[in-house]
Amino acid sequence: MTTVSNNQTAKSVLASLARSEPVQKAEEDMQGRFLKLLTTQLQNQDPMNPMENAEMTSQLAQMSTVDGIERLNKMVQSFFDSQASAEGLNAAALLGRGVLVEGSRLALTEAGAIGGFEIDTPADSVTLSVRDSSGLVVKQMVFNDVDAGSHNFVWDGTAEDGSRAADGIYTLSLSATLGEEAVGGRTLQFGPVTSIVRGASGTDLQVGDLGVFKVDDVKQIL
């Protein structure tokens, strides 16, 4: 029952009811049409050849199935909407944060360079090679007894010969072993989350000038 307060008018209440009516009316119309059809069949059936119980049960079951499908569709859509909302909130929390995503780019500034790597299984040794634009190795970093998963590091810019490497963009590559066996892995690049992008397939992150990534692409938040 709807009551009208001093601040409401009958017109506004009727308008509110009119807005909520179509959703319920669509379901009621569907069931009403089905029941009307079934009632008409019963009223006009041949008395000498009445509708069998099995046929009536089948038609009632059809109505129940259609109604059930409609309800299931609404539940599924509600679930997807809830998931999208939660993903959007998680993405918004990353705005302005630094993250590691898959890639080989390593940017050196006067403050140093932040990078990372990820390995599939534990490794006795992980070697990271930093190369300049011509492909020459400027620096190699070796990590021993490394657990599986993602890891970050900071390079202060010191080259192999002890000099200070020039600021700029370098390329990172990885080699990992466990005993004599190679270990699968990949390099990670660092960037700040500068904006949130809501696309048709979900929520994406703009990570600096590295590009657009999915929330699930983030390996570490720094």
Side-chain angles (χ1 to χ4, degrees):
M1 177 177 178
T2 303
T3 59
V4 182
S5 67
N6 292 333
N7 295 325
Q8 289 181 303
T9 65
K11 184 177 180 180
S12 65
V13 173
L14 290 173
S16 176
L17 290 175
R19 287 194 297 271
S20 61
E21 185 181 59
V23 176
Q24 296 178 350
K25 195 171 186 301
E27 294 182 1
E28 293 170 356
D29 284 350
M30 179 184 68
Q31 297 183 22
R33 286 195 300 269
F34 194 96
L35 289 174
K36 184 177 180 180
L37 176 61
L38 183 59
T39 301
T40 302
Q41 285 180 303
L42 291 173
Q43 290 174 341
N44 294 281
Q45 66 182 329
D46 185 353
M48 303 302 295
N49 185 27
M51 183 184 295
E52 295 182 1
N53 289 338
E55 185 179 353
M56 181 183 296
T57 302
S58 175
Q59 294 200 24
L60 289 172
Q62 290 178 36
M63 184 182 72
S64 178
T65 299
V66 171
D67 182 60
I69 292 174
E70 287 293 323
R71 292 176 184 273
L72 180 60
N73 286 339
K74 289 181 180 179
M75 289 177 62
V76 171
Q77 186 60 51
S78 177
F79 172 77
F80 284 138
D81 290 344
S82 177
Q83 288 292 98
S85 178
E87 186 180 62
L89 289 174
N90 290 336
L94 295 176
L95 193 60
R97 300 288 299 273
V99 296
L100 289 176
V101 294
E102 189 171 341
S104 60
R105 186 175 183 270
L106 186 65
L108 179 64
T109 68
E110 59 180 15
I114 298 174
F117 62 91
E118 182 180 45
I119 52 176
D120 300 329
T121 64
D124 294 331
S125 176
V126 175
T127 301
L128 297 178
S129 299
V130 180
R131 290 180 167 83
D132 62 17
S133 58
S134 61
L136 297 176
V137 175
V138 176
K139 177 70 175 180
Q140 281 195 326
M141 293 172 278
V142 179
F143 303 88
N144 297 316
D145 299 324
V146 183
D147 294 331
S150 60
H151 306 269
N152 61 73
F153 67 87
V154 176
W155 176 39
D156 62 5
T158 302
E160 284 294 294
D161 61 5
S163 64
R164 178 64 161 74
D167 291 350
I169 305 301
Y170 294 83
T171 302
L172 194 63
S173 61
L174 173 148
S175 174
T177 56
L178 178 62
E180 297 182 354
E181 298 293 326
V183 171
R186 59 212 59 86
T187 57
L188 306 177
Q189 54 191 359
F190 172 82
V193 177
T194 52
S195 65
I196 309 299
V197 182
R198 288 296 299 271
S201 59
T203 303
D204 299 331
L205 306 173
Q206 177 69 48
V207 182
D209 58 356
L210 300 181
V212 177
F213 297 84
K214 300 291 185 185
V215 174
D216 290 343
D217 292 335
V218 174
K219 305 298 184 180
Q220 276 195 19
I221 304 170
L222 303 178

